[in-house]
Amino acid sequence: MAPAFGRTTHDTAWVLCTGCKSPIYHKRMARTIQVCPECGKHERLTAQRRLETLLDPGSLNRIHLRPANEDVLGFVDTLPYPARLAQAREQTGLDEAVVCAGGTIHGHAVIMAVMDFRFLGGSLGATVGDLITLAAETALAEHTPLLIVTASGGARMQEGAISLMQMAKTSAALARLDEAGILTVSLITDPTFGGVAASFATVTDVIIAEPGARLGFAGRRVIEQTIRQKLPPEFQTAEFLREQGFIDMIVPRQRLGNTLADLLRVGNFRTSEADDVQLGSLDQHQLVQDPRLLPQHDPWDTIGKARALDRPTTLEYASLAFTGFQELHGDRISGDCAATVAGTAWLGERPVVVIGHQKGHTPAELARRNFGMSMPSGYRKAARIMRLAAKLGLPVITVVDTPGAHPGPRAEEQGQAVAIAECIQLMTSLPVPVIAVITGEGGSGGALALATANRVLMCAGGVYSVISPEGCAAILWHDRAAAPLAAGALGIDARSLLSLGVVDGVLPEPEGGTGADPALSADRLRSALMRTLAELTSLTARELVHDRRQRFRRFGGLGSAAETGTNQEIAR
């Protein structure tokens, strides 16, 4: 039998890679799951092979649906539509272009809908829409994550407007999973276009793509003919789309099982599993909550410590203070800001979302990360991941270390003020515990956009201010050299901020600062977070929102008067 991809040589035991054209022994290709060992080209898999590759042996449980009468138009091109269907069924052994099943991946339950491009180009017809919808309804009934593997040229033209309606039907089915708090994941394989790309493939919580997979609404040839321009080779590839903010991660086929299992572990978590929260080993007195216990330091010297390049970054804390961090990319609108990182992780035995500013230690890394100054796409990415946390009931942990939001013209053109405002407002309404930690610089609204939390902790060497001392000096003293005076006047250090109630607790740092012993700093952070989270998880969603709003309502003369009325309101 000929292989399912490429062309054969005279010896059918060999196949030609469709990418580099190298002849590969078919058994070697089978061992690499149809990935060319020479160039890494990911050849297409059948739906059955995909299920066998991902699901644990013996766990597959097919979800069947008898095909309805698809030929509502009596459509004929070179063949009547029923003849085309019969031909596709004979050639593939499938009833339709998607196969649905339940099972487990590394022991974690999942409902899968896997498309097969061999069946009429994986086109979206009524039965395909019914099967995707049935898979979503099964996931809803079983409260189990849904994984959709896409491979499609788009809508099925032979079914006319009925095919078009499947985009809305399947999208509505996934919306019900959003309402129920059930994780949804797309795996984009090559190709995914048209009505599939513009519906269930791209509205999931997490979008994973195989290397080189193409995704788009209109095909390359259609676009080139329309605009009469040659498109770049990487256009519409997964790599291109991740840069544009539309793909969370690109995962080679050999690593898909582990990646999906990590996501499913989070998606299958039940809050009752973590009722006995581990409190960690932090001594109660190590999280300082009395400003009198903190030594007085020169504020300008503290600025220097907060900006030190050896201080641990968010990604370092994510690997040292948490386990299983899985970074998610993109704002699904315009880009993926490197100055903001976000993803799921585990704090002890509880899944959480971690979001933070990312600086770096070297000039090259600082430049690549924009010195930790987020673009609007960074705040929109943070907001997207916060919404995912709210949907799944995951606590949000933010790590703040930024001089401020990026102040350039491109950021303004992309709506920097709006992005920050929306992020702050969203945080006031999240129905989950929110804890912010200022680990270095907390600069202005760019910091507050990730620090509108139930509890705000701070490393002793950090700073938090409405403006940089240099900026304040330039505006009020008309002399940037007056920055040390401004630093003292602004009350930016941990002792001053704890006195004002702007932060709720201060973490002492190792001798020489957090950069001198990142592991110890991360241990202290982990313990403080676990203790703080244990306190917050006793509150209901409504109480968490009330607690957070009241925390910020208190900053002003009317705070206590307003609190009385609000307490009466929540009591009702």
Side-chain angles (χ1 to χ4, degrees), residues 339-397:
T340 305
V341 295
T344 59
W346 290 79
L347 181 63
E349 298 301 315
R350 184 183 291 274
V352 298
V353 153
V354 178
I355 304 169
H357 301 101
Q358 180 69 13
K359 286 184 177 178
H361 301 297
T362 66
E365 188 179 4
L366 285 165
R368 187 170 72 85
R369 298 287 184 176
N370 206 24
F371 297 86
M373 296 185 292
S374 297
M375 295 288 289
S377 60
Y379 293 110
R380 291 180 178 125
K381 172 168 64 175
R384 179 174 79 84
I385 304 304
M386 287 178 197
R387 292 188 185 97
L388 174 61
K391 170 183 170 175
L392 300 180
L394 305 180
V396 174
I397 311 292

Side-chain angles (χ1 to χ4, degrees), residues 113 115 122 124 132 146-152 154 166-167 170-171 174 184-189 191-209 214-217 241 246-248 332:
M115 303 191 77
L124 176 58
I132 296 291
L146 174 67
L147 168 62
I148 303 175
V149 184
T150 62
S152 175
Q166 306 311 308
M167 296 170 63
T170 54
S171 296
L174 266 68
T184 56
V185 181
S186 288
L187 172 57
I188 306 297
T189 74
T192 298
F193 281 105
V196 170
S199 58
F200 56 85
T202 53
V203 294
T204 54
D205 298 316
V206 179
I207 301 178
I208 304 173
R214 293 167 296 159
L215 169 70
F217 184 58
L241 291 168
F246 299 112
I247 299 290
D248 281 289
R332 303 272 179 96

Side-chain angles (χ1 to χ4, degrees), residues 92-131:
T92 64
L94 301 176
D95 291 331
E96 254 298 349
V98 64
V99 177
C100 300
T104 59
I105 298 178
H106 295 192
H108 303 290
V110 64
I111 302 298
M112 291 183 63
V114 182
M115 303 191 77
D116 196 315
F117 193 79
R118 298 174 305 155
F119 196 107
L120 297 183
S123 51
L124 176 58
T127 302
V128 172
D130 284 340
L131 282 162

Side-chain angles (χ1 to χ4, degrees), residues 221-480:
R221 184 170 54 189
V222 172
I223 296 172
E224 288 183 334
Q225 290 175 351
T226 301
I227 66 174
R228 300 187 183 281
Q229 293 179 19
K230 189 72 174 175
L231 296 169
E234 70 278 8
F235 185 74
Q236 292 184 319
T237 63
E239 292 75 13
F240 172 84
L241 291 168
R242 205 191 84 163
E243 289 182 6
Q244 305 305 311
F246 299 112
I247 299 290
D248 281 289
M249 59 182 85
I250 301 170
V251 183
R253 197 169 285 166
Q254 293 88 341
R255 297 207 327 255
L256 272 173
N258 290 334
T259 299
L260 289 169
D262 288 343
L263 286 170
L264 294 174
R265 183 186 173 209
V266 172
N268 279 302
F269 178 81
R270 301 292 178 265
T271 304
S272 58
E273 298 174 28
D275 283 342
D276 298 324
V277 179
Q278 299 174 1
L279 297 182
S281 58
L282 181 74
D283 185 277
Q284 188 65 30
H285 298 292
Q286 284 185 299
L287 183 63
V288 179
Q289 295 175 302
D290 184 346
R292 294 171 297 181
L293 299 178
L294 291 173
Q296 286 187 320
H297 295 293
D298 179 79
W300 185 243
D301 289 342
T302 304
I303 285 281
K305 293 177 182 177
R307 294 172 177 172
L309 294 183
D310 65 349
R311 295 183 77 85
T313 66
T314 295
L315 288 177
E316 288 166 328
Y317 278 122
S319 64
L320 292 171
F322 302 86
T323 58
F325 177 71
Q326 196 162 42
E327 187 173 358
L328 303 176
H329 292 269
D331 66 351
R332 303 272 179 96
I333 298 173
S334 62
D336 182 42
C337 174
T340 305
V341 295
T344 59
W346 290 79
L347 181 63
E349 298 301 315
R350 184 183 291 274
V352 298
V353 153
V354 178
I355 304 169
H357 301 101
Q358 180 69 13
K359 286 184 177 178
H361 301 297
T362 66
E365 188 179 4
L366 285 165
R368 187 170 72 85
R369 298 287 184 176
N370 206 24
F371 297 86
M373 296 185 292
S374 297
M375 295 288 289
S377 60
Y379 293 110
R380 291 180 178 125
K381 172 168 64 175
R384 179 174 79 84
I385 304 304
M386 287 178 197
R387 292 188 185 97
L388 174 61
K391 170 183 170 175
L392 300 180
L394 305 180
V396 174
I397 311 292
T398 64
V399 181
V400 177
D401 186 13
T402 180
H406 185 70
R410 191 161 62 94
E412 293 299 318
E413 291 166 359
Q414 295 174 3
Q416 185 72 288
V418 175
I420 291 171
E422 289 181 344
C423 210
I424 292 172
Q425 186 183 50
L426 172 64
M427 292 192 79
T428 67
S429 302
L430 292 175
V432 294
V434 183
I435 306 171
V437 186
I438 300 165
T439 59
E441 288 185 277
S444 191
L448 182 62
L450 295 188
T452 308
N454 292 96
R455 301 291 181 269
V456 179
L457 309 181
M458 186 175 188
C459 292
V463 294
Y464 194 14
S465 177
V466 66
I467 191 173
S468 69
E470 295 89 342
C472 179
I475 294 171
L476 299 182
W477 276 265
H478 305 288
D479 183 3
R480 290 178 66 88

Side-chain angles (χ1 to χ4, degrees), residues 544-560:
L544 285 165
V545 172
H546 172 71
D547 171 86
R548 197 176 312 125
R549 291 174 176 173
Q550 281 304 114
R551 183 186 187 279
F552 290 91
R553 185 64 183 88
R554 286 193 293 269
F555 297 123
L558 295 178
S560 58

